[in-house]
Amino acid sequence: MAKTILILNGPNLNMLGARQPEIYGSETLDDVAGLCAETAAIFGQETELRQSNHEGELVDWIHEARDSFAAIIINPGAYSHTSVAILDALNMFEGPVAEVHLSNIHAREEFRHNSYVSGRADAVIVGCGPAGYGFAVEQVCACLSDAVT
Ligand code: DQA
């Protein structure tokens, strides 16, 4: 059975659409889920999108992905800038990892400039809004198809 692409979202991303729309836009996380599913379908892949406001839950899901998912796309939200635990968990995952940020973290406050997760990510997409998730799906699908050819 084909393994799905797991799309993880960290704290406050459940508020997408209502949260600082001048920075994060008006689309919701459900809209993002739809875009990811549609993009993956073009490549014959499937996606499952999850969101948590809790660091440990994200770590548990990354552990689960080791056996159950082909690739991980992650927007760790604020945990990008603080979480060695999420980086350590991702370092145990063998498939492709893409990191997404809706905003351009490098053009914002200095504390957002470093992401621990970028140390493991195969691709990092910033500042493209929700479209960035679609680009990340395309990228991991390309990696997955390279892996079977
Ligand atoms: C974010 C950027 C982070 O700095 C912030 O804490 C978020 C969202 C983004 O998608 O632009 O929660 O990851």
Side-chain angles (χ1 to χ4, degrees), residues 10-33:
N12 299 308
L13 288 163
N14 54 316
M15 302 302 288
L16 215 55
R19 173 193 186 193
Q20 294 181 281
E22 69 284 5
I23 296 175
Y24 298 114
S26 56
E27 290 185 60
T28 66
L29 204 54
D30 280 347
D31 295 329
V32 169

Side-chain angles (χ1 to χ4, degrees), residues 10-13 19 23-24 75-81 100-105 108 111-112 127 133:
N12 299 308
L13 288 163
R19 173 193 186 193
I23 296 175
Y24 298 114
N75 181 348
Y79 289 142
S80 318
H81 319 302
V100 175
H101 296 282
L102 295 146
S103 63
N104 179 359
I105 55 174
R108 299 183 64 193
F111 65 83
R112 296 185 202 274
Y133 286 83

